[in-house]
Amino acid sequence: MTRRKFFKTANKIFGLFLILTGLWAADDKKKQSAVKKVIIPGSMNEGVNFVGNVIVVKRGKSLEAFEARCTHLGCLLNRKIDNKIVCNCHGSEYNFKGEAIKGPAVKSLNKLVIHADKKSKNLYVYV
């Protein structure tokens, strides 16, 4: 194989690699942007409740909802210990207001807007 032919072939392979990488990144972005409606159950315990990929904090008649993804690397949050929401992956901790109180996460949890369906009276969030 001549040097010229080698570089032409390598250039084609590199171009194909760039195209495939771009398609993969676009598909991954599309999967991440899928919005899902999560219904909040009517009967919830006082304190922290895990509803799929949503954390709902009930204080009396007040409700707050947060995305149940650690702000460090996106692990699913589904555990509470000693009045803290704890990440199973790397040990980040959040208080019940969604604020990061122990790293490696430094950002607060993503707060979600709670919507009310006027017909069914169900509460729900979009994640």
Side-chain angles (χ1 to χ4, degrees):
M1 177 181 274
T2 66
R3 185 174 180 196
R4 176 174 283 173
K5 193 171 184 177
F6 170 78
F7 283 113
K8 277 186 176 182
T9 304
N11 198 17
K12 287 179 184 177
I13 291 171
F14 183 68
L16 182 61
F17 171 76
L18 288 177
I19 290 170
L20 292 175
T21 302
L23 291 173
W24 172 77
D27 185 52
D28 192 44
K29 193 102 168 156
K30 199 184 309 177
K31 286 178 187 173
Q32 289 178 355
S33 66
V35 176
K36 190 175 172 184
K37 183 178 181 178
V38 177
I39 296 175
I40 298 172
S43 59
M44 305 215 42
N45 295 327
E46 189 73 16
V48 173
N49 298 272
F50 297 97
V51 183
N53 54 350
V54 175
I55 299 169
V56 180
V57 180
K58 181 178 180 183
R59 290 184 203 93
K61 292 187 178 191
S62 170
L63 290 178
E64 281 187 292
F66 303 95
E67 190 173 356
R69 293 276 169 206
C70 181
T71 58
H72 173 233
L73 289 177
C75 296
L76 181 65
L77 299 170
N78 59 8
R79 182 171 69 140
K80 68 176 180 173
I81 299 174
D82 299 330
N83 292 324
K84 294 177 273 186
I85 300 164
V86 180
C87 177
N88 291 326
C89 298
H90 303 104
S92 294
E93 295 179 357
Y94 302 88
N95 62 20
F96 292 171
K97 294 178 184 176
E99 300 165 335
I101 54 175
K102 180 181 173 231
V106 292
K107 290 173 49 180
S108 297
L109 296 175
N110 183 23
K111 189 170 184 177
L112 303 172
V113 177
I114 299 175
H115 303 275
D117 186 321
K118 291 179 183 176
K119 288 182 182 178
S120 68
K121 307 274 188 207
N122 286 335
L123 299 177
Y124 60 93
V125 294
Y126 290 110
V127 182

